Amino acid sequence: MSPVIAVEAAVNAMTNTLLNGLCAWLIYRRAAVVPCGFAGIMIDVCVTCIAICFCTVPFSVAAAKRHLKSGALKNREIKDRQFSYFPRHPLLLALFFALPVMLPLGLLLGWGFAFLGITELPVFGFVLYKGILGGLLGGCVCAAALIRCQYI
């Protein structure tokens, strides 16, 4: 992976960690605990995936264009058609990233919470969970969008 992609993904991950944690704290700051049932986690993950993808991909595509123009990233030919089916339009690319991720991730986290018997979290625990989820998802989506934009 290019150092430019790694730096952009790391900055995006930190930004998403901060913003998701802040949103969770602003929503639940007055609550004693946050309910975390299976359905709640599924809905939360789906909304988070869609929001992060639609907020991250357009900025990542713009950054990729800027880096391609400056020469920091190189255009690459599609040889094995590995990226040829990825959409080029930023909003379609965001949808392409969000849809296959949200259901498996939601099921995995929902079942994980249910398996561990977690039905509620303290506010700080939920803020930490949202920050980590948002940061990891944002960094991965940013890196994937930058990699996709390299291929013409």
Side-chain angles (χ1 to χ4, degrees), residues 25 28 68 78 99:
W25 180 77
Y28 292 108
L68 286 167
I78 297 176
L99 289 180

Side-chain angles (χ1 to χ4, degrees), residues 78 80-88 92-93 96-97 148:
I78 297 176
D80 302 325
R81 303 180 65 75
Q82 58 193 359
F83 292 106
S84 62
Y85 57 88
F86 282 39
R88 294 200 50 88
L92 291 176
L93 188 61
F96 183 82
F97 288 149
R148 167 58 183 111

Side-chain angles (χ1 to χ4, degrees), residues 55-77:
C55 291
T56 299
V57 169
F59 290 108
S60 298
V61 169
K65 288 179 181 177
R66 185 179 68 243
H67 290 305
L68 286 167
K69 192 174 185 178
S70 72
L73 286 178
K74 304 279 188 243
N75 275 327
R76 300 170 190 248
E77 294 291 325

Side-chain angles (χ1 to χ4, degrees), residues 129-145:
Y129 153 75
K130 287 295 289 185
I132 292 170
L133 175 66
L136 289 174
L137 189 59
C140 290
V141 167
C142 177

